[in-house]
Amino acid sequence: MKTIVITGSSSGIGKATAKYFAEQGWQVAATMRKPQNETELNQIEGISLYALDVTDQASIESAVAQILNDYDKVDVVLNNAGYAAIGAFEAAAPEQVERQFDTNVIGLMRVTRAFLPHFRANNDGLFLNVSSIGGRITFPFLSLYHSTKWAVEGFSESLAYELGELGIQVKLIEPGGVDTDFNGRSMDFCTQEGLDDYNEAVSYTH
């Protein structure tokens, strides 16, 4: 029986993917920041929940250790956790910029690095990295989000060459619009008091 690890499983693509793989008979390690709040996935046979925050190295190390203790072999890691900061770049606070990259790029790299020794030991494994159509084209007022997804594209494509000789695959998933709460709860709006010059354009495009 194969095993998949999924980050950002509490909603959206992550949750739907966890359900799908469980239905296909896979063992699913569904990770999220607050598994204690999850009321659906923990009722599904084949799915186990783990606390993992991609912005917290200690959290990642703890989750990976638990997962590798519970499963003999992990076959796939789906790097799905992410969100979008929206608004004029000038209005983005430094901490918003850092958080966007820490989650969407550095967090994905942290999780990838954490599972690499396991994949190398098995000469096998697949990283599925969730990018976006926003990693190929751009729209106004999503400069932070787009830049992170373009980074994921470059990282993934280069890493695929590095790991290919070791039997490890890296693949990109580039969805367009998906019916999730991505445009609601998962959005971080960049605003700055007194900075009104962008307001009309922002309201028009969104």
Side-chain angles (χ1 to χ4, degrees):
M1 186 179 296
K2 291 189 174 183
T3 301
I4 183 171
V5 177
I6 305 171
T7 65
S9 296
S10 62
S11 63
I13 291 173
K15 176 172 277 192
T17 304
K19 292 177 183 177
Y20 175 82
F21 274 87
E23 290 170 358
Q24 303 307 308
W26 284 54
Q27 298 178 124
V28 178
T31 77
M32 59 196 70
R33 285 177 297 174
K34 298 179 179 180
Q36 65 273 19
N37 295 340
E38 177 59 41
T39 59
E40 184 178 4
L41 294 183
N42 55 358
Q43 304 298 318
I44 299 175
E45 184 177 356
I47 299 180
S48 297
L49 306 186
Y50 298 87
L52 189 155
D53 181 344
V54 299
T55 68
D56 184 336
Q57 182 63 37
S59 166
I60 294 170
E61 292 175 1
S62 176
V64 171
Q66 292 177 50
I67 290 167
L68 296 182
N69 180 68
D70 292 343
Y71 301 103
D72 294 332
K73 182 174 182 284
V74 169
D75 299 279
V76 179
V77 172
L78 175 64
N79 282 310
N80 166 74
Y83 74 98
I86 184 171
F89 170 72
E90 188 180 358
E95 54 269 23
Q96 287 179 300
V97 177
E98 292 170 7
R99 179 172 173 259
Q100 178 78 117
F101 275 84
D102 199 24
T103 302
N104 290 10
V105 182
I106 307 301
L108 180 148
M109 291 179 173
R110 290 188 187 105
V111 173
T112 298
R113 185 191 296 274
F115 279 101
L116 271 173
H118 179 72
F119 280 3
R120 284 192 295 102
N122 291 312
N123 295 116
D124 186 40
L126 168 63
F127 290 106
L128 289 174
N129 294 339
V130 178
S131 177
S132 164
I133 189 175
R136 300 180 66 87
I137 62 175
T138 63
F139 301 97
F141 304 109
L142 283 165
S143 59
L144 296 181
Y145 175 73
H146 284 305
S147 56
T148 63
K149 291 306 183 181
W150 283 55
V152 168
E153 299 265 332
F155 171 69
S156 301
E157 290 185 21
S158 180
L159 191 66
Y161 292 115
E162 292 181 31
L163 301 181
E165 295 299 316
L166 305 179
I168 303 167
Q169 298 182 74
V170 181
K171 295 184 182 294
L172 281 162
I173 301 172
E174 301 167 321
V178 180
D179 186 16
T180 70
D181 64 355
F182 181 81
N183 291 320
R185 183 182 64 85
S186 296
M187 281 282 188
D188 180 19
F189 292 92
C190 302
T191 59
Q192 185 180 119
E193 187 175 354
L195 182 60
D196 302 324
D197 290 352
Y198 300 101
N199 289 358
E200 183 177 352
V202 170
S203 63
Y204 177 76
T205 56
H206 300 285

